[in-house]
Amino acid sequence: MKPNRRLEIISCAADLFQKKGYSSTSVRDIAKSMNMEAASLYNHISSKQDILSTLLLEVASEFSEAMDGIICAPNSSLDKLYQIISSHIKIIIGSAQAVSLIPSEWVHLEGNAIQEFIALRDRYELDFKSILTKCVEEGSLKPVNIELASFSILSTLRWLSSWHIKNPTVDPTIIEEELKKCLIDGLKVNST
Amino acid sequence: MKPNRRLEIISCAADLFQKKGYSSTSVRDIAKSMNMEAASLYNHISSKQDILSTLLLEVASEFSEAMDGIICAPNSSLDKLYQIISSHIKIIIGSAQAVSLIPSEWVHLEGNAIQEFIALRDRYELDFKSILTKCVEEGSLKPVNIELASFSILSTLRWLSSWHIKNPTVDPTIIEEELKKCLIDGLKVNST
DNA sequence: CCTACCGATCGGTAGG
DNA sequence: CCTACCGATCGGTAGG
């Protein structure tokens, strides 16, 4: 009935999925932490899979929209790279639990949902790699193996949500500043 | 009877765990891909959990031993940092499937196994952070937030095994070279 | 929102 | 290594 009851269930499930994984979380686990019976959940959700696909497709869309905004802006490719880091931090601050499901739980999506998710993810990675490539062409980044560099940077960004859940008090400004050093500028002293 | 039958089962399970996750892989799945009945597995393993803990504690020990060797050597801290990257690549080349379980499947360990695993992991991370700290003190790395830098570098190293499974033909020498750029030297042109 | 219940599948054992 | 089977739990439905 109340639409926010559904949201409560989904956010509660996100928390459990993040802690135990989708497969190890039963609908009875979700019901228990909502103080209701398993059968009652089905007045608000259509299936366990429904919860997962809602969570994952929602955050995947958020990332895609952020990427679209960054690509369209009239900035240098290097600036776009920095902006991608900022956008990850912004999205994570808003919904860390859901974002933390992306790295390992997307494999449990089924049917259309997994196809949609993979399409969004592949599109995102292609966009990211093309920004990296342009940075090299424009001379703002060293010539670098695009596949490895994009994997390396995205690994950190993908796991940032889990790190943030464990270190919730660190100032986002510091996260942003330090991550730009780690991922782009370099840690060695004789680098800028 | 034959001891390598057990190893076959374990490596077969590693492959399935990597693809579908521990919880979603049934003992019947493992049996089927070994062309035997589920009950027959129990002549070689004592439980499904036995397989997971064997896999994870074995690779965790490999990483710990590599770390011990690196720490003891009379090199600069910066050299040790580079050596840690090399050691990850070496271990991954040897057993990518098992290594790829570490980031997300360790949560399904139970009892003593999970305690042992966490102890090894925490020890590894402390060692890693203390090397980073020494690099900063020695002036070979910029002053940097140790927590974030160690999280960032280890995220990439932890996910390298999954990347390697999807990109098996890339020369390990190139992986090593490029990753040192990505993780330490920096990608920006005016860095060395 | 609950009680009562479904068929399927789970990890694992007995016994040969 | 197999057949036969166990109790427990799974996601989900019927009906109120």
Side-chain angles (χ1 to χ4, degrees):
Chain A
M1 291 294 176
K2 305 184 258 181
N4 44 338
R5 197 73 180 132
R6 176 177 160 89
L7 293 180
E8 284 176 47
I9 291 168
I10 287 176
S11 117
C12 179
D15 195 62
L16 291 169
F17 291 168
Q18 186 257 317
K19 281 177 191 139
K20 323 199 321 172
Y22 175 76
S23 294
S24 300
T25 303
S26 68
V27 292
R28 283 160 181 84
D29 290 334
I30 301 170
K32 189 188 280 180
S33 74
M34 289 291 295
N35 292 313
M36 59 204 293
E37 294 302 316
S40 308
L41 291 173
Y42 289 85
N43 291 292
H44 304 97
I45 58 157
S46 64
S47 66
K48 187 186 170 190
Q49 175 72 198
D50 172 31
I51 301 178
L52 185 68
S53 59
T54 300
L55 280 165
L56 288 184
L57 290 175
E58 213 160 85
V59 295
S61 303
E62 260 191 275
F63 279 108
S64 294
E65 280 162 29
M67 177 64 90
D68 287 345
I70 290 167
I71 285 182
C72 292
N75 295 307
S76 73
S77 297
L78 185 61
D79 280 341
K80 289 177 182 176
L81 205 51
Y82 286 124
Q83 283 165 14
I84 287 168
I85 295 175
S86 309
S87 82
H88 272 257
I89 293 167
K90 235 168 273 167
I91 293 171
I92 284 165
I93 302 290
S95 42
Q97 246 80 19
V99 178
S100 71
L101 301 178
I102 287 190
S104 37
E105 305 304 324
W106 68 271
V107 294
H108 299 113
L109 288 170
E110 297 162 8
N112 283 338
I114 196 167
Q115 287 175 15
E116 274 185 60
F117 180 86
I118 289 177
L120 287 172
R121 183 202 60 182
D122 287 354
R123 173 81 192 287
Y124 192 90
E125 288 186 10
L126 278 176
D127 286 341
F128 187 80
K129 284 182 209 166
S130 95
I131 291 175
L132 277 185
T133 304
K134 275 180 207 142
C135 285
V136 174
E137 287 169 3
E138 291 172 7
S140 50
L141 287 193
K142 302 177 189 170
V144 70
N145 182 306
I146 300 294
E147 293 297 325
L148 270 162
S150 111
F151 147 75
S152 174
I153 296 173
L154 291 177
S155 290
T156 294
L157 293 179
R158 259 195 271 270
W159 279 85
L160 183 57
S161 54
S162 300
W163 186 84
H164 184 253
I165 289 169
K166 284 186 298 182
N167 301 268
T169 60
V170 181
D171 182 353
T173 316
I174 290 183
I175 299 178
E176 195 171 332
E177 211 172 275
E178 294 291 322
L179 241 36
K180 286 173 179 174
K181 257 193 272 181
C182 291
L183 301 179
I184 301 172
D185 301 346
L187 297 177
K188 251 176 110 180
V189 275
N190 46 354
S191 49
T192 296
Chain B
M1 291 296 175
K2 302 185 259 180
N4 44 339
R5 196 73 180 133
R6 177 179 159 88
L7 294 181
E8 285 176 46
I9 291 168
I10 288 176
S11 117
C12 180
D15 195 62
L16 291 169
F17 291 168
Q18 186 257 318
K19 283 178 189 139
K20 322 202 318 172
Y22 176 75
S23 294
S24 299
T25 303
S26 68
V27 292
R28 282 159 181 83
D29 290 334
I30 301 169
K32 188 188 282 181
S33 75
M34 289 292 294
N35 292 313
M36 59 205 292
E37 293 302 316
S40 309
L41 291 173
Y42 289 85
N43 289 293
H44 304 97
I45 58 158
S46 63
S47 66
K48 187 186 170 190
Q49 176 73 198
D50 171 31
I51 301 178
L52 185 68
S53 58
T54 301
L55 279 166
L56 288 184
L57 290 175
E58 213 160 85
V59 295
S61 304
E62 261 190 274
F63 279 108
S64 294
E65 281 163 28
M67 176 64 91
D68 288 343
I70 290 167
I71 285 182
C72 292
N75 295 305
S76 73
S77 296
L78 185 61
D79 281 341
K80 290 177 181 176
L81 206 49
Y82 286 123
Q83 283 165 13
I84 287 169
I85 295 175
S86 309
S87 82
H88 272 257
I89 293 167
K90 235 169 272 166
I91 293 171
I92 284 166
I93 302 291
S95 41
Q97 245 79 19
V99 177
S100 71
L101 301 177
I102 287 188
S104 37
E105 304 306 322
W106 69 270
V107 293
H108 299 114
L109 288 170
E110 297 163 6
N112 283 339
I114 196 166
Q115 288 176 13
E116 274 184 61
F117 180 86
I118 289 176
L120 287 172
R121 182 202 61 180
D122 287 353
R123 173 81 192 285
Y124 192 90
E125 288 185 10
L126 278 176
D127 286 342
F128 187 79
K129 285 182 209 165
S130 96
I131 291 176
L132 277 185
T133 304
K134 275 181 208 143
C135 285
V136 173
E137 287 170 3
E138 292 172 8
S140 50
L141 287 192
K142 302 176 189 169
V144 70
N145 182 305
I146 300 293
E147 294 295 326
L148 270 162
S150 112
F151 148 74
S152 174
I153 297 173
L154 290 177
S155 290
T156 294
L157 293 178
R158 260 195 269 271
W159 279 85
L160 184 57
S161 54
S162 300
W163 186 84
H164 184 253
I165 289 169
K166 283 187 298 182
N167 302 268
T169 60
V170 181
D171 182 352
T173 316
I174 291 183
I175 298 178
E176 195 171 332
E177 211 173 275
E178 294 291 322
L179 240 37
K180 286 174 180 175
K181 257 193 272 181
C182 291
L183 301 179
I184 301 172
D185 301 346
L187 296 177
K188 252 176 109 180
V189 277
N190 48 354
S191 48
T192 296

